[in-house]
Amino acid sequence: GSTAGLAECFLCPAGTWRNDTGGRSVTACAPCPLNTFSTREGLTHPAECSPCPPGRTTKTSGSTSESDCIDPSSLCGSGEVRSPASGACEPCVATCFASLGSCLECPAGCFGNSTGRSSCEACPRGRFSDATGRTSADSCEACSEGTFNPNEGQTSAGCIFCPIGTNSSRLGAVAIDDCGACPAGSYGSSVGLVECFLCPAGTFRDRVGGTSSAQCSPCPLNSWSATEGLVASTQCSPCPSGTATRGTGSKALSECIALSELCPSDQSY
């Protein structure tokens, strides 16, 4: 009460509170804290002040209406948020960005490399990030060999396996064209290959892009090969004179046997 002889004391006005006795003026009433308001008079504790709705804040302490709760993005500049303690606008650190009044870590697939950001940079093509708070494009990891990533801002799920019949030994590949066709003499029967499988001994393949060992052709009759990855039938070794194979696809010289063993005595090979 600021006037002598009062029958009743004045209540602290809306937007303020006081929790002890003997106040002599309205200045003895403390304001409701930042991010709260009160339309009622005579509050005795700051907890009686009503909080602003989620995602809203006040410009100052001592607010008297819910309409004083506003979008925090309108209070500070781009990339800044309001300090709960001082009410001053402060820039978000480099690995964060400002959103709805809070500094949030750059999400997976992104990075931040400067303070005061309102958004984060996307990890470049061929790279990814499964973690938050990355600090540079280089801190985004390269997609592994046998994969490619044509899009920015990806997690590891964005690294796509090279299709069957192809392979890639390149880290950070950005396009399906970086997956080369399996060369002649080999095949790729599964996705994501770093190296293609060689056609087995006794076979060859003279075309690129094979997808199965069944596409490797057998060495012709009366020839053999113990070597994998042949690219032409002429690389199969001929059997010595007077010998032959029982079929195609022979893998060893021992499969070249004497003609006399192949045919009955009354027949010729």
Side-chain angles (χ1 to χ4, degrees):
S2 58
T3 304
L6 288 177
E8 292 184 359
C9 294
F10 300 113
L11 295 176
C12 283
T16 67
W17 60 277
R18 181 175 173 80
N19 64 359
D20 57 0
T21 60
R24 304 178 68 86
S25 72
V26 70
T27 58
C29 301
C32 282
L34 202 64
N35 305 332
T36 68
F37 69 94
S38 176
T39 59
R40 296 182 295 124
E41 299 177 332
L43 301 189
T44 61
H45 195 277
E48 295 181 84
C49 300
S50 302
C52 284
R56 315 288 283 184
T57 188
T58 57
K59 287 184 177 180
T60 62
S61 58
S63 296
T64 59
S65 169
E66 185 174 346
S67 62
D68 292 331
C69 297
I70 59 176
D71 183 345
S73 63
S74 64
L75 295 174
C76 297
S78 176
E80 295 181 328
V81 296
R82 201 170 183 211
S83 167
S86 66
C89 292
E90 297 177 348
C92 290
V93 298
T95 57
C96 295
F97 69 104
S99 176
L100 298 177
S102 298
C103 287
L104 304 178
E105 273 200 321
C106 289
C110 298
F111 67 93
N113 57 8
S114 62
T115 59
R117 305 181 66 89
S118 58
S119 63
C120 297
E121 300 286 343
C123 287
R125 296 191 309 153
R127 291 183 171 269
F128 71 93
S129 171
D130 288 332
T132 60
R134 296 290 189 177
T135 58
S136 68
D138 288 341
S139 68
C140 299
E141 299 172 55
C143 288
S144 62
E145 298 168 318
T147 68
F148 66 97
N149 172 21
N151 301 308
E152 297 180 337
Q154 299 297 302
T155 63
S156 57
C159 297
I160 303 168
F161 287 121
C162 288
I164 61 171
T166 68
N167 70 319
S168 174
S169 59
R170 178 180 175 183
L171 288 171
V174 300
I176 194 170
D177 290 344
D178 291 322
C179 302
C182 287
S186 69
Y187 64 95
S189 56
S190 59
V191 298
L193 291 180
V194 178
E195 293 184 359
C196 298
F197 305 111
L198 294 176
C199 286
T203 68
F204 69 94
R205 179 173 172 81
D206 57 7
R207 297 180 183 180
V208 300
T211 59
S212 166
S213 61
Q215 295 175 338
C216 300
S217 303
C219 283
L221 195 65
N222 304 332
S223 68
W224 62 278
S225 176
T227 304
E228 298 179 330
L230 300 189
V231 300
S233 62
T234 54
Q235 291 181 298
C236 300
S237 301
C239 285
S241 177
T243 65
T245 59
R246 295 185 183 276
T248 60
S250 296
K251 303 175 183 178
L253 176 60
S254 60
E255 295 183 62
C256 297
I257 57 181
L259 298 180
S260 59
E261 296 181 31
L262 291 174
C263 300
S265 59
D266 59 343
Q267 297 180 14
S268 60
Y269 185 76

